[in-house]
Amino acid sequence: MIHIVAKNEPSKFKENMLRLSAVGLSLVASGIVIACMGHNPFVVFWNIITGSIGKEYYFQQTVHKAIPLAMLSLGIAMSFRMKFWNIGADGQFYMGAFGAAFIAFKCPNLPMGVMLPLMFIASVICGGIWATVASLLKNKIGASETLVTLMLNYIATKWITYLQFGPWKRPDGFPRMPRFPDAAILPKLGGIHIGWIITLICMLLLYVLFRRTKLGYEIDVIGESSTTARYAGINVQKVTFIAVFLSGALCGVAGMMQASAMEKSLTYSLSGGMGFTAVITTYLGQLNPILITVVSFLFSMLIQGGSGLQASMGIPSTMTQVIQGIIIFFVLGSEFFLKYKFVRTAKSETAKSPKGAEK
């Protein structure tokens, strides 16, 4: 018979090699799928690369897609490290964008030096508060943070939809919110809005927080065992509240940057489901801020490069989603083989009880 048993923890080298092998196999499997569709996989992969970083414009668009994805992933990582399953990045993203839009619409005459910091602070507060709703409900009544954060996504989206078609609708009656004033739009550096600088700063701050600070240590201890954390004297409720607030705040900042720099307004389609993609990139990045940022950029390459496949080769752009799914499948499979192994054992004979013997 074949049994699944836990295996000893592998070395870091073997762990990384297995994950790299999983990614390599996923690309091979993706190539087979592409070949079955009648296309040359090497040409398709090359078009994805050149369509994402082959020209300056393509590279800029890839970075523009990577900025909110990386920021959302960093926010999710903050809560995932202590096993608080925040699936509400989309909702926190929208509420952060809402806070920024409130400042832009209500104080249109502020100078940029005042406007942008206020929008940043508003996005932090709104995104953070939206996330802590799940934390408070979990602490008070034991509600599942997964379900609560997921449902809050829909509430946030409907709230933005209400504003777009109601109180904040353009004066001419067109069902869209007005454009932000110029002072509320993030400036560019190198052809890309300065959100890339904010994202890199947040990445480095989180890396230092997780590796060098007391709060980072307490978050990791709670992630291992909240009982152990309490025994060690850690205020679990306080640390959870702070970490979840920061998680939502980072997601809120992502919303502010997307609304300010890309849409230059607020719309109910602002996210495009990035919050759920961020859950994937967070997991693939192993909750490491630097690796998460790299994975987010690679996923953005797939998204940007795939958008041109239909025009260049007649392949639906959704093919990149298939490739993403294959990569996820293989990486998740590698996680299984990191922790477990199959063991073949001889089939034991059933012992027979003596006739008439009582149990």
Side-chain angles (χ1 to χ4, degrees):
M1 296 181 67
I2 298 176
H3 297 277
I4 299 175
V5 298
K7 62 192 298 187
N8 296 329
E9 186 174 351
S11 65
K12 200 67 179 177
F13 175 77
K14 289 184 178 180
E15 186 176 326
N16 291 332
M17 288 304 297
L18 183 59
R19 290 197 177 103
L20 286 174
S21 300
V23 173
L25 289 173
S26 69
L27 294 178
V28 172
S30 300
I32 293 173
V33 173
I34 294 171
C36 291
M37 295 175 62
H39 299 281
N40 187 326
F42 296 102
V43 175
V44 172
F45 288 138
W46 179 248
N47 280 349
I48 290 176
I49 294 173
T50 56
S52 57
I53 59 175
K55 295 182 180 179
E56 183 180 2
Y57 173 77
Y58 295 155
F59 176 76
Q60 290 172 354
Q61 293 304 307
T62 299
V63 175
H64 281 149
K65 290 177 172 62
I67 289 170
L69 182 59
M71 185 64 80
L72 286 167
S73 302
L74 292 172
I76 293 173
M78 172 67 76
S79 56
F80 273 23
R81 284 186 76 103
M82 62 178 184
K83 292 184 173 58
F84 185 96
W85 308 116
N86 178 14
I87 313 298
D90 250 13
Q92 295 142 33
F93 176 94
Y94 276 111
M95 294 310 292
F98 160 73
F102 182 87
I103 299 296
F105 291 148
K106 300 301 180 182
C107 309
N109 298 321
L110 290 175
M112 181 179 289
V114 178
M115 175 79 79
L116 289 179
L118 284 179
M119 290 172 65
F120 183 89
I121 293 171
S123 67
V124 166
I125 293 173
C126 291
I129 290 176
W130 201 248
T132 54
V133 171
S135 175
L136 293 174
L137 289 175
K138 182 176 183 178
N139 287 330
K140 296 297 182 181
I141 61 175
S144 167
E145 72 273 16
T146 304
L147 292 177
V148 174
T149 53
L150 184 62
M151 290 187 291
L152 286 173
N153 286 337
Y154 299 102
I155 296 174
T157 305
K158 295 304 179 184
W159 169 243
I160 302 301
T161 304
Y162 163 72
L163 292 175
Q164 180 170 332
F165 289 87
W168 287 5
K169 185 170 58 175
R170 275 172 36 173
D172 60 6
F174 191 77
R176 184 176 175 86
M177 298 188 201
R179 188 181 188 273
F180 285 175
D182 291 341
I185 298 174
L186 286 174
K188 291 185 177 181
L189 181 63
I192 305 169
H193 68 82
I194 62 170
W196 68 271
I197 298 177
I198 298 173
T199 302
L200 290 178
I201 291 173
C202 290
M203 176 196 74
L204 293 174
L205 289 176
L206 278 191
Y207 183 82
V208 172
L209 184 146
F210 292 145
R211 295 297 182 94
R212 295 287 186 267
T213 67
K214 178 184 176 183
L215 177 61
Y217 169 76
E218 291 175 337
I219 289 173
D220 286 341
V221 173
I222 293 174
E224 292 296 327
S225 170
S226 57
T227 303
T228 302
R230 291 188 181 91
Y231 183 78
I234 297 173
N235 188 331
V236 174
Q237 187 172 347
K238 177 183 176 181
V239 173
T240 301
F241 179 86
I242 293 172
V244 173
F245 180 88
L246 292 176
S247 175
L250 289 169
C251 296
V253 171
M256 173 263 179
M257 294 191 296
Q258 189 71 1
S260 171
M262 301 306 297
E263 294 291 335
K264 299 178 177 57
S265 183
L266 181 60
T267 170
Y268 68 88
S269 59
L270 185 67
S271 165
M274 276 189 295
F276 297 104
T277 305
V279 173
I280 298 169
T281 53
T282 302
Y283 186 82
L284 294 179
Q286 297 297 302
L287 308 183
N288 181 308
I290 296 176
L291 190 55
I292 283 172
T293 306
V294 173
V295 171
S296 298
F297 180 78
L298 294 175
F299 259 65
S300 298
M301 285 180 61
L302 274 176
I303 297 170
Q304 174 62 27
S307 62
L309 287 179
Q310 189 163 5
S312 61
M313 300 185 65
I315 300 176
S317 58
T318 50
M319 185 62 217
T320 57
Q321 297 178 8
V322 175
I323 297 175
Q324 291 176 23
I326 294 173
I327 293 173
I328 295 165
F329 177 80
F330 275 84
V331 172
L332 290 177
S334 71
E335 294 298 318
F336 173 85
F337 288 106
L338 281 172
K339 298 177 181 178
Y340 304 99
K341 61 181 178 180
F342 293 101
V343 176
R344 185 181 182 87
T345 57
K347 188 176 180 180
S348 58
E349 294 184 0
T350 305
K352 294 183 179 181
S353 301
K355 188 177 181 179
E358 294 182 357
K359 293 183 179 179

